[in-house]
Amino acid sequence: METLALFIKTFITNYCIKYSFEKIMATKEEMKKQRIFGVLNVFLSIVYIIFKKLMNSVLLILALYFVLAIILSKLNKNRLGHSFVVTLISCAISYIALIIGAITTFIPYKTILSNNAVMGELASATIQIVLVFLFYKIKRFKNGFAFLNKKFNDERLDDIVIYISVIIMVLVSLMRTMYAGMDEIVNNLLVVAILLGVTMYIMIKRALTMQYKHSLLLKTLEEYKEEIASKDKEIEKLSQEKFNTSKIRHEFYNRQKALELMVKQNMNGIVDKTGVSDNILNIVNELTNEYSKECEIIKGLNVLPKTNIIEIDNMFKYMQTECAKNNIDFKLNIQDSLEPLINNYISKSRLETLLGDHIRDAINAVNKSEKSNKEIMVVLGLKDGVYEICILDNGVEFTIDTLLKLGKEQVTTGGTGIGFLTTFETLKETNASLVITELQDMEYTKSVAFVFNNRCEYIVNSYRAEEIKEKCVRENIIINKNEG
């Protein structure tokens, strides 16, 4: 009877641990997986009972759940280290339910059930199952433990939960060996002390590491504050320069119109042509020189960094002008020489077309946005030893349908869609990769990067990765989760 009672306790507790594991990890229940675990659970419970007859040690109980963690890891295809922690917490929850069940059924076990071990274990196991089931009906835990599903982002909370779980685990294991002889009790107490000591050492080491990380974070934040203050001053300067530019345009507008009228009248023969041609030429030269001098004063607003490739520099200057017409702040960051890129990967004409198409797409996307501050930034240079061209904007994001059809059909955020068709031809020709990253709660909403890494991949990094994957039937696209 005692052997059967022990089998029932072990078998039911293992199932409670499995149920808790799946709830924490928010995994789907599969019939095949249930059958495999059922068979393994029977085998594991029998082996445990056999060894229990030979020795009564805390290590035996811990070994049981060590093996159980491996089984759950394989069945649910989780990382082993992660599975050990989740199994540990599942054990703690199941053990608490077991203790409550044992306490609740103690009096009925002694009276109504007449010390029947099997019936007592069945009653205790029933309460244990109900408590574990009801625990995961609580709204906060209905969809698992958020801090575990986020891969231990909150390290302090992880340490607290893990340490409490270890204490519950070893104490309950110790309680289940208390009916042995004094020598075994002393040995088990020694094992428990060692386990708690090792756990404490690990937690202290992790705490010191977190403290070090926290110090580095504070230092980084201070550096960011200084950088932000510097950028604020730069923005203030640029704002003043922009105002000065608008002022000059306003001052010269009427004078240009008057000159335009004189030219038209001269062409139509309305005015006396004696000396007019020379006079017009002088006026034009005078106005041009005056305008140039005024612009020199605030030329910092319009000067872009040079690539020293005339065609590319002209394209950037043209796109800056187009951005200015649409009240878009255009920024250009050239980090390295583009000569090796032109010589080894892509022709000047192809690069010129690529930049023109996608900066134009960015302008269209920004114009569709309701944001008051419209921005586009182009970054060119080496990143991790590989040339990359990245165009960032704070315009509307791509629709999921657009992301899945890019390069296949004429789709875009605002243009004709032909640009991306041409782009995919260029990517294929240069063996470069297209990487689209969608950003959330950032200065820019998305980036379109062309990476010359000889992989010819199409990658989408998005906070909407799951939605995109659900609709995706396209094979040549890599979709990654982006928390940013």
Side-chain angles (χ1 to χ4, degrees):
M1 294 291 286
E2 290 183 1
T3 301
L4 180 59
L6 181 58
F7 177 83
I8 292 171
K9 179 191 291 185
T10 306
F11 185 83
I12 296 299
T13 300
N14 288 350
Y15 255 112
C16 287
I17 292 169
K18 172 187 171 294
Y19 177 79
S20 183
F21 183 98
E22 291 178 345
K23 284 296 181 181
I24 290 174
M25 298 298 293
T27 58
K28 295 181 180 179
E29 295 184 3
E30 299 175 6
M31 188 57 65
K32 181 180 178 181
K33 186 168 63 176
Q34 302 297 334
R35 287 197 294 266
I36 293 173
F37 182 82
V39 173
L40 291 175
N41 192 14
V42 171
F43 176 75
L44 195 60
S45 300
I46 293 173
V47 171
Y48 171 75
I49 292 171
I50 293 172
F51 278 96
K52 181 76 172 176
K53 297 291 184 181
L54 301 175
M55 58 184 291
N56 191 20
S57 172
V58 172
L59 292 176
L60 177 60
I61 300 170
L62 297 178
L64 169 67
Y65 296 109
F66 180 85
V67 174
L68 192 62
I70 296 174
I71 292 172
L72 292 172
S73 173
K74 297 298 182 182
L75 287 176
N76 293 281
K77 298 179 180 179
N78 299 116
R79 290 184 297 106
L80 191 58
H82 196 192
S83 294
F84 276 132
V85 175
V86 176
T87 304
L88 179 65
I89 296 172
S90 301
C91 287
I93 294 170
S94 301
Y95 273 147
I96 292 172
L98 175 64
I99 293 171
I100 295 173
I103 294 172
T104 305
T105 58
F106 179 76
I107 295 176
Y109 168 70
K110 289 293 185 180
T111 55
I112 300 173
L113 300 178
S114 303
N115 291 329
N116 187 308
V118 174
M119 296 303 295
E121 287 298 340
L122 287 173
S124 176
T126 301
I127 294 176
Q128 181 186 12
I129 293 169
V130 171
L131 288 175
V132 172
F133 178 78
L134 291 177
F135 178 79
Y136 289 103
K137 287 295 181 182
I138 299 173
K139 187 176 180 181
R140 183 178 292 272
F141 306 117
K142 189 174 181 181
N143 297 315
F145 292 179
F147 69 94
L148 285 173
N149 291 334
K150 292 180 179 178
K151 298 184 179 179
F152 310 108
N153 285 334
D154 190 344
E155 295 182 355
R156 294 181 187 276
L157 183 59
D158 296 341
D159 288 347
I160 293 171
V161 173
I162 292 169
Y163 193 60
I164 292 174
S165 299
V166 169
I167 292 174
I168 294 171
M169 181 80 173
V170 296
L171 289 180
V172 174
S173 300
L174 182 63
M175 289 171 59
R176 293 177 68 173
T177 61
M178 290 300 291
Y179 296 103
M182 184 55 67
D183 289 341
E184 289 190 9
I185 291 175
V186 172
N187 289 336
N188 287 331
L189 285 172
L190 181 61
V191 171
V192 168
I194 292 172
L195 287 172
L196 290 177
V198 170
T199 306
M200 179 64 76
Y201 170 77
I202 294 171
M203 295 304 168
I204 291 173
K205 189 175 180 181
R206 282 170 58 88
L208 291 174
T209 302
M210 282 190 288
Q211 183 63 37
Y212 177 69
K213 288 181 179 178
H214 182 67
S215 299
L216 287 179
L217 179 61
L218 289 177
K219 183 180 178 182
T220 303
L221 287 175
E222 288 299 322
E223 291 175 353
Y224 280 151
K225 285 181 181 178
E226 293 177 3
E227 186 176 348
I228 289 171
S230 174
K231 294 295 182 184
D232 286 341
K233 291 180 180 179
E234 185 179 344
I235 290 171
E236 185 178 352
K237 179 183 176 182
L238 291 174
S239 297
Q240 184 61 44
E241 289 176 350
K242 188 174 182 179
F243 170 76
N244 291 338
T245 301
S246 299
K247 186 170 178 288
I248 289 173
R249 288 176 180 170
H250 176 74
E251 290 173 353
F252 279 85
Y253 178 78
N254 291 329
R255 295 169 66 183
Q256 289 170 339
K257 288 296 181 182
L259 180 59
E260 181 182 332
L261 176 61
M262 182 183 291
V263 172
K264 287 181 179 178
Q265 289 177 337
N266 182 50
M267 292 175 64
N268 294 329
I270 298 175
V271 297
D272 184 4
K273 294 184 179 181
T274 305
V276 170
S277 296
D278 292 336
N279 190 35
I280 291 177
L281 184 59
N282 291 333
I283 294 173
V284 170
N285 289 332
E286 183 181 342
L287 192 62
T288 301
N289 291 333
E290 188 177 346
Y291 185 80
S292 297
K293 288 179 181 178
E294 291 290 337
C295 286
E296 282 292 321
I297 300 173
I298 56 167
K299 64 180 180 179
L301 179 65
N302 296 318
V303 173
L304 293 175
K306 299 293 184 182
T307 65
N308 295 322
I309 302 170
I310 296 174
E311 295 86 343
I312 304 302
D313 288 335
N314 287 339
M315 175 58 72
F316 283 134
K317 188 64 180 176
Y318 170 69
M319 284 301 167
Q320 183 190 37
T321 304
E322 291 299 293
C323 286
K325 290 178 182 177
N326 292 276
N327 295 317
I328 298 172
D329 184 16
F330 180 79
K331 299 176 183 177
L332 177 61
N333 184 352
I334 300 172
Q335 300 176 340
D336 301 280
S337 170
L338 298 186
E339 290 293 340
L341 177 65
I342 297 296
N343 294 333
N344 300 308
Y345 294 97
I346 186 172
S347 66
K348 284 190 289 188
S349 59
R350 282 282 192 181
L351 179 58
E352 190 177 0
T353 300
L354 190 73
L355 291 167
D357 285 342
H358 293 286
I359 297 175
R360 176 66 65 184
D361 280 348
I363 292 173
N364 291 331
V366 171
N367 281 334
K368 285 190 172 185
S369 172
E370 296 180 356
K371 293 183 179 179
S372 56
N373 59 319
K374 300 179 179 182
E375 295 182 15
I376 294 174
M377 182 167 71
V378 181
V379 182
L380 301 92
L382 289 168
K383 183 177 180 181
D384 298 328
V386 177
Y387 270 101
E388 178 176 308
I389 299 169
C390 185
I391 301 171
L392 302 98
D393 68 70
N394 63 350
V396 295
E397 60 188 11
F398 291 103
T399 65
I400 293 178
D401 185 60
T402 297
L403 286 172
L404 297 177
K405 291 181 179 180
L406 284 181
K408 297 287 186 181
E409 301 176 22
Q410 286 185 226
V411 289
T412 184
T413 51
T416 63
I418 296 175
F420 265 104
L421 292 175
T422 306
T423 294
F424 273 82
E425 292 176 2
T426 302
L427 295 176
K428 186 175 181 181
E429 180 182 303
T430 59
N431 211 24
S433 297
L434 170 63
V435 182
I436 295 178
T437 303
E438 294 189 321
L439 307 167
Q440 201 173 24
D441 300 324
M442 302 283 282
E443 182 180 0
Y444 298 99
T445 55
K446 67 177 180 295
S447 70
V448 178
F450 308 98
V451 185
F452 296 85
N453 56 5
N454 292 318
R455 294 181 184 173
C456 198
E457 296 174 331
Y458 174 27
I459 301 173
V460 174
N461 301 315
S462 175
Y463 61 91
R464 302 181 293 168
E466 297 303 322
E467 297 177 53
I468 298 172
K469 287 179 181 178
E470 288 178 2
K471 296 182 179 180
C472 182
V473 294
R474 183 172 173 178
E475 295 182 357
N476 66 330
I477 177 172
I478 301 171
I479 303 170
N480 299 319
K481 181 72 173 178
N482 178 35
E483 297 292 345

